[in-house]
Amino acid sequence: MSTDRIALRGLRARGRHGVLAAERELGQEFVVDVTLFLDTAPAAAGDDLGRTVDYGELAQALVKVVEGEPVALIETLAERLAEVCLESELVQAAEVSVHKPAAPIPLPFDDVVVTIERRRR
């Protein structure tokens, strides 16, 4: 696998994911970090956006997932986001973190994060 990476950090979107009815009704902000593993040399050699991943388009696709169909678990949301990252045949693997900073935990905390890594099969 190539050691080149493209990272998108702190992408924010409102979603209605969670186990509790209130989470589904009111929604909350989710924060997404992704790292794509791919060979960026061909894009750099030709200064060609068509030979890499357009991170602006990726961000829009990821937000659509977060704002889309609700799921109970952020693990499921992370899986769906990883699938989006792997849609480009250029991407060999993706690491996805989903942050849920407003999770319904009755104690002081900073964040809840689920991180997964998926590879092209």
Side-chain angles (χ1 to χ4, degrees), residues 80-102:
R80 289 181 178 181
L81 294 167
E83 290 170 5
V84 169
C85 292
L86 292 171
E87 285 178 0
S88 169
E89 292 184 13
L90 298 172
V91 177
Q92 299 164 3
E95 181 180 271
V96 176
S97 295
V98 176
H99 302 256
K100 189 174 181 179

Side-chain angles (χ1 to χ4, degrees), residues 9-13 29-33 97-101 111:
R9 302 273 181 254
L11 182 65
R12 300 177 187 284
E29 182 178 70
F30 292 84
V31 182
V32 175
D33 301 324
S97 295
V98 176
H99 302 256
K100 189 174 181 179
D111 200 1

Side-chain angles (χ1 to χ4, degrees), residues 3-110:
T3 57
D4 299 343
R5 295 175 200 83
I6 295 175
L8 175 60
R9 302 273 181 254
L11 182 65
R12 300 177 187 284
R14 192 160 183 82
R16 295 174 290 121
H17 311 288
V19 174
L20 303 177
E23 293 179 289
R24 297 276 182 126
E25 292 171 22
L26 301 174
Q28 61 190 287
E29 182 178 70
F30 292 84
V31 182
V32 175
D33 301 324
V34 299
T35 301
L36 309 179
F37 296 85
L38 68 157
D39 183 1
T40 62
D47 198 25
D48 184 358
L49 178 61
R51 299 181 83 181
T52 188
V53 174
D54 182 329
Y55 46 80
E57 288 181 5
L58 175 65
Q60 291 176 357
L62 295 171
V63 165
K64 280 178 102 170
V65 172
V66 175
E67 293 177 344
E69 179 185 347
V71 296
L73 303 177
I74 58 175
E75 291 86 345
T76 306
L77 180 59
E79 190 70 37
R80 289 181 178 181
L81 294 167
E83 290 170 5
V84 169
C85 292
L86 292 171
E87 285 178 0
S88 169
E89 292 184 13
L90 298 172
V91 177
Q92 299 164 3
E95 181 180 271
V96 176
S97 295
V98 176
H99 302 256
K100 189 174 181 179
I105 298 174
L107 299 166
F109 74 100
D110 288 330

